[in-house]
Amino acid sequence: MHMADALISPAVGGIMLVATAGLATYSIKKVQNDLDDKKVPLMGVMGAFIFASQMINISIPATGSSGHIGGGMLLAILLGPYAGFLTMASILLIQALFFGDGGLLAYGCNVFNLGFYTCFIAYPLIYKWMTRKELTSGRIVGASMLSAIIGLQLGAFSVVLETLFSGKTELPFHTFILLMQPIHLAIGVVEGIVTAAIVTFVWKARPEILERNAAGDPIGNISIKKVLTGILAGALIIGGFVSWFASSDPDGLEWSMERTAGTAELEVSDSVYDTLANIQSKTAFLPDYSFKSASEADSNSYAGTSISGIVGGALTLGLAGLIGLLISIFKKKNRRLKGNK
């Protein structure tokens, strides 16, 4: 689901960047209602966890494809839709800038596809609706599964539309959509299982986190140390070790492109694409989650993968946490100014 720049036109990329910037601005304004000192570190830790988890491509049996979780539903459930969207934007920015994963022109598309549909559509209309009466393990599993699947389906459909509006004739709409939707349905099932398992862990450790996020309230005075420790440990283990065993099969998007266009990489020749590719080649110090100077034989070395997982998780934790911290400081400053009037 991480689109490369070649998949979209500059016009579509620009429009989606503006749309994503608008959603981020809206989220910054709205998140102040439920942001407190407990949610700021949770944003950082969840960002690190999703970053590491997206490194793990799991093979989809009998397809020759693989997929990783998007993580948008998990972020929305544990952080609320606004903090969740901002955290997803942080994750994808770190990936694009420092790991060359997803294009800079396509950044707005990627944030929209992975963050908007999960945080602002699937979460309020499916997950919250299904768990509105009470939280039980059965409701959590059912709501997590269905919302994750639908969120990913909408995101995959959005990818197809963005290539269509970009005039990518190499990816004809009917053929592309008939491949994208089924393979992302299978990936969505895996994501639903992972989402349900983690949400259940948090519910058993601190049900108040889910309850207060659902109500749009701050986390408050409850201790979330156990949750933070568990998620951070998971991020370190996944990024530093489990990432070694990620499938080498093409992901759902690459798999669909290969069967539609005969290649997973479209050729483009334009100054906009060249300029952005140049910038990305300079900022991406661990391209494709490996050492920049590694030889082709060593490009998938365990050391490079582990360092990428740990460094990327740390950068994401820092950026997501910094965004939360700055919003929190701004919120407190506004309250003081209102109190002095």
Side-chain angles (χ1 to χ4, degrees), residues 168-188:
K168 298 298 175 180
T169 55
E170 305 96 326
L171 300 169
F173 178 79
H174 291 96
T175 304
F176 198 31
I177 197 170
L178 287 174
L179 289 164
M180 280 287 285
Q181 301 308 134
I183 197 65
H184 283 93
L185 175 60
I187 295 169

Side-chain angles (χ1 to χ4, degrees), residues 108-225:
C109 293
N110 289 330
V111 176
F112 194 90
N113 298 343
L114 287 168
F116 172 75
Y117 296 108
T118 48
C119 293
F120 298 120
I121 303 295
Y123 173 71
L125 300 182
I126 300 172
Y127 181 87
K128 282 187 70 174
W129 183 81
M130 291 180 68
T131 57
R132 68 193 186 283
K133 292 183 179 179
E134 63 174 328
L135 285 172
T136 64
S137 57
R139 288 178 186 272
I140 288 172
V141 171
S144 298
M145 289 286 296
L146 186 59
S147 56
I149 289 170
I150 291 179
L152 198 58
Q153 283 290 290
L154 290 171
F157 183 64
S158 189
V159 170
V160 177
L161 288 180
E162 286 154 4
T163 60
L164 174 67
F165 294 142
S166 295
K168 298 298 175 180
T169 55
E170 305 96 326
L171 300 169
F173 178 79
H174 291 96
T175 304
F176 198 31
I177 197 170
L178 287 174
L179 289 164
M180 280 287 285
Q181 301 308 134
I183 197 65
H184 283 93
L185 175 60
I187 295 169
V189 171
V190 175
E191 173 151 12
I193 293 170
V194 173
T195 301
I198 296 169
V199 174
T200 300
F201 160 75
V202 174
W203 176 62
K204 290 181 177 179
R206 276 300 177 191
E208 300 94 337
I209 294 177
L210 303 184
E211 293 164 357
R212 294 184 185 183
N213 274 330
D217 296 329
I219 294 176
N221 295 323
I222 64 170
S223 173
I224 61 170
K225 185 176 180 181

